[in-house]
Amino acid sequence: MVPDNLSPNAQLALRALACASERNLEGFRSCCAADIVLDFPFHPNGAQSHHGVEEMIREFSVEKVFETFRIDAQEVLDCGDRIIIEGRSHGTYRSGRPPYDNHYIFIMTCKDGNVTHWKEFYNPLEALKQNYGKPRPEKQAGA
């Protein structure tokens, strides 16, 4: 459940998540510090860290494989400068692969009206499991 009486930092973190989810790049930039740090502690390719809002936007460009993609906040824990958001994603692939659903935990640090640190936890096995052993759509002749 997302409370109604959220602090400005929690509202900012939710706005940043919504902008990223909606691919609203200008809105996303306006929420983040230029030197924001993005951490993926459990990335399928090993722990990763990215620095700067432009690098973060490039990292999120993987979402281009989706026709639709959305992360909806389920719960928010407002801890002052640190905001914890539990969310669920749903996406449909452009290629016609089965839909993508996952569970996320975001820990965002906010300072001076900007998100300065974005730590994203999700289940990388879920992404693999949802597509493991499922046939990819047949390519059309001439495609």
Side-chain angles (χ1 to χ4, degrees):
M1 180 170 77
V2 177
D4 292 330
N5 58 341
L6 293 172
S7 71
N9 283 339
Q11 291 174 29
L12 173 66
L14 284 171
R15 190 168 56 250
L17 182 61
C19 287
S21 177
E22 296 163 4
R23 301 178 191 143
N24 174 354
L25 299 182
E26 290 310 311
F28 184 74
R29 277 188 190 94
S30 73
C31 294
C32 298
D35 60 349
I36 188 171
V37 175
L38 165 65
D39 286 320
F40 292 115
F42 299 112
H43 193 278
N45 296 325
Q48 294 187 6
S49 187
H50 302 276
H51 301 271
V53 70
E54 296 305 320
E55 186 173 335
M56 190 171 178
I57 287 170
R58 279 192 300 278
E59 184 61 29
F60 286 164
S61 70
V62 70
E63 291 181 5
K64 290 179 183 176
V65 301
F66 293 105
E67 182 69 31
T68 63
F69 183 81
R70 177 129 194 101
I71 297 176
D72 294 309
Q74 306 293 301
E75 290 194 42
V76 176
L77 183 57
D78 191 340
C79 303
D81 290 347
R82 191 162 286 177
I83 310 301
I84 301 168
I85 302 171
E86 180 180 354
R88 301 280 180 169
S89 69
H90 179 74
T92 56
Y93 286 97
R94 293 183 188 279
S95 66
R97 295 176 79 180
Y100 173 77
D101 296 295
N102 212 332
H103 188 176
Y104 291 75
I105 300 292
F106 300 91
I107 302 173
M108 296 187 206
T109 303
C110 301
K111 184 176 179 183
D112 299 327
N114 290 296
V115 178
T116 59
H117 192 189
W118 176 300
K119 190 177 288 190
E120 184 172 318
F121 299 85
Y122 66 97
N123 185 352
L125 298 176
E126 190 63 31
L128 298 171
K129 178 180 81 173
Q130 289 185 29
N131 292 297
Y132 182 76
K134 295 179 182 172
R136 293 180 184 231
E138 295 289 325
K139 287 192 175 185
Q140 301 281 330

